[in-house]
Amino acid sequence: MEVAVRTLAGGGLVAIPTETVYGLGAAINSDIAIAKIFAVKGRPQDHPLIVHIADIEQLQFVASSIPLDALKIAHACWPGPITLLLQRGDQVPTTVTGGRETVAVRIPDNAFTRQLITKLGSPIVAPSANRFGKVSPTNAQHVCDDLQGDVDLIVDDGACSIGVESTIIDFSVSPPQLLRPGGIPIEDIEHILGFAIGSSDGVSRASGMLQSHYRPQCQVVLVENDEEAAGLTARLTPQQLPSRVLNRCENLPNYASSLYNDLRQADDDNIQTLIAVLPSNTGLGAAIIDRLVKAAAPI
Ligand code: AMP
Ligand code: MG
């Protein structure tokens, strides 16, 4: 903990555990460290970072206005895998928001990281701790595999319990819009609010909204069920082999928490074609489908 605080305070990068994926963290007030995040990831400058806070009181320093509905969700779901898009507060540099007047913020459900933010005395900004466009890391070894040498410290707190990124809801517009399906199902949020969330306008405001993202080396092909997977397997050419079928539809939390490891493992095992069975489009299924579709998209 002390080393992590010192590293961040000194303008270094620390890979931090969260319940969604591992983050590549910098202190919000360190311009140098923020610049390093973009350099290390190879991330375009206009792709904003999520601001991680330790308690709801810190929200007033990050956002200039907080709609009541956003506050309701914050109280109901934080700490947890939901990110709120709000009007940017003065203390948030535009390098963090990709030049936008909105800021994305959440409280992660990881005790170490929350304590780190508290001891540092300022929010930590972080995207996922992987190279841009590639598969997100859900354990410390994944971060090592991707970024070793480019990050000052990696905190190992085991595997991420949720395993897919946070749900992002834009509360800077009315009615609020879903920018990215994630760890908290949209149905749960609508239930708390008592009204329907809009779908995004299609403007690429969240990097997770790009067509191709979360991509392994192997070709990912999507099917509806096991029969289709078997039929497709039988038709693969020798160059498309070896293949593997990925189907964890009977347990969606498990599908989500294993997904990025499954994509990485396919590459480690030299699989050429990964045939993934899509879950139904409800609850966590929406986030899993979103990631699989992007993993399967041509670059
Ligand atoms: P990552 O966890 O690597 O996907 O990065 C954080 C996500 O939050 C990305 O999809 C960002 O584009 C999104 N995000 C952060 N701030 C904003 C913002 N102000 N407007 C839209 N999306 C944002
Ligand atoms: Mg990412």
Side-chain angles (χ1 to χ4, degrees):
M1 179 63 77
E2 299 316 317
V3 178
V5 173
R6 233 183 303 130
T7 305
L8 288 170
L13 294 184
V14 177
I16 52 167
T18 82
E19 80 282 30
T20 58
V21 303
Y22 273 70
L24 184 59
I28 195 168
N29 45 20
S30 175
D31 296 344
I32 293 172
I34 291 168
K36 271 193 257 177
I37 289 181
F38 287 93
V40 164
K41 280 205 65 152
R43 186 178 175 99
Q45 301 284 342
D46 63 344
H47 284 246
L49 312 174
I50 292 178
V51 177
H52 296 77
I53 58 176
D55 48 64
I56 288 192
E57 286 67 55
Q58 275 183 314
L59 199 50
Q60 57 186 309
F61 301 109
V62 171
S64 62
S65 78
I66 306 155
L68 279 180
D69 285 329
L71 206 54
K72 201 170 173 182
I73 294 300
H75 280 286
C77 303
W78 283 351
I82 180 152
T83 298
L84 308 181
L85 208 74
L86 303 168
Q87 290 302 324
R88 180 178 70 88
D90 292 343
Q91 297 180 37
V92 179
T94 50
T95 46
V96 167
T97 66
R100 295 166 175 75
E101 285 309 313
T102 52
V103 61
V105 57
R106 80 179 191 101
I107 302 182
D109 190 11
N110 180 283
F112 180 95
T113 291
R114 281 203 308 278
Q115 209 188 342
L116 178 58
I117 296 164
T118 303
K119 292 200 172 194
L120 181 67
S122 71
I124 294 176
V125 296
S128 53
N130 56 284
R131 311 270 179 208
F132 183 67
K134 296 293 188 334
V135 180
S136 306
T138 50
N139 63 45
Q141 186 62 51
H142 293 163
V143 182
C144 255
D145 294 345
D146 292 358
L147 301 181
Q148 198 171 28
D150 287 338
V151 50
D152 298 294
L153 183 71
I154 299 170
V155 178
D156 185 352
D157 194 22
C160 302
S161 58
I162 302 288
V164 290
E165 291 82 352
S166 58
T167 306
I168 304 182
I169 308 277
D170 185 355
F171 279 98
S172 73
V173 292
S174 185
Q177 293 182 0
L178 174 68
L179 294 192
R180 174 173 77 184
I184 293 191
I186 194 71
E187 296 92 327
D188 294 8
I189 296 158
E190 292 180 331
H191 181 75
I192 295 165
L193 290 175
F195 59 82
I197 298 285
S199 54
S200 72
D201 285 331
V203 187
S204 179
R205 286 179 300 172
S207 67
M209 291 172 76
L210 293 176
Q211 253 189 359
S212 169
H213 212 77
Y214 319 108
R215 256 190 75 89
Q217 293 294 317
C218 62
Q219 182 66 53
V220 178
V221 184
L222 309 176
V223 296
E224 299 291 336
N225 52 50
D226 279 326
E227 292 69 50
E228 226 184 287
L232 183 62
T233 302
R235 292 194 306 274
L236 292 176
T237 63
Q239 296 90 302
Q240 294 172 306
L241 297 172
S243 69
R244 176 177 292 169
V245 175
L246 174 60
N247 182 3
R248 297 184 187 272
C249 291
E250 74 292 342
N251 184 338
L252 293 189
N254 177 248
Y255 208 155
S257 64
S258 309
L259 182 60
Y260 292 138
N261 193 61
D262 286 335
L263 295 179
R264 285 166 179 267
Q265 192 64 50
D267 282 345
D268 289 348
D269 296 343
N270 207 23
I271 295 294
Q272 296 302 305
T273 309
L274 184 67
I275 302 171
V277 180
L278 292 167
S280 60
N281 191 13
T282 56
L284 259 184
I288 296 165
I289 292 172
D290 175 75
R291 305 310 188 270
L292 283 173
V293 166
K294 284 168 184 156
I299 300 173

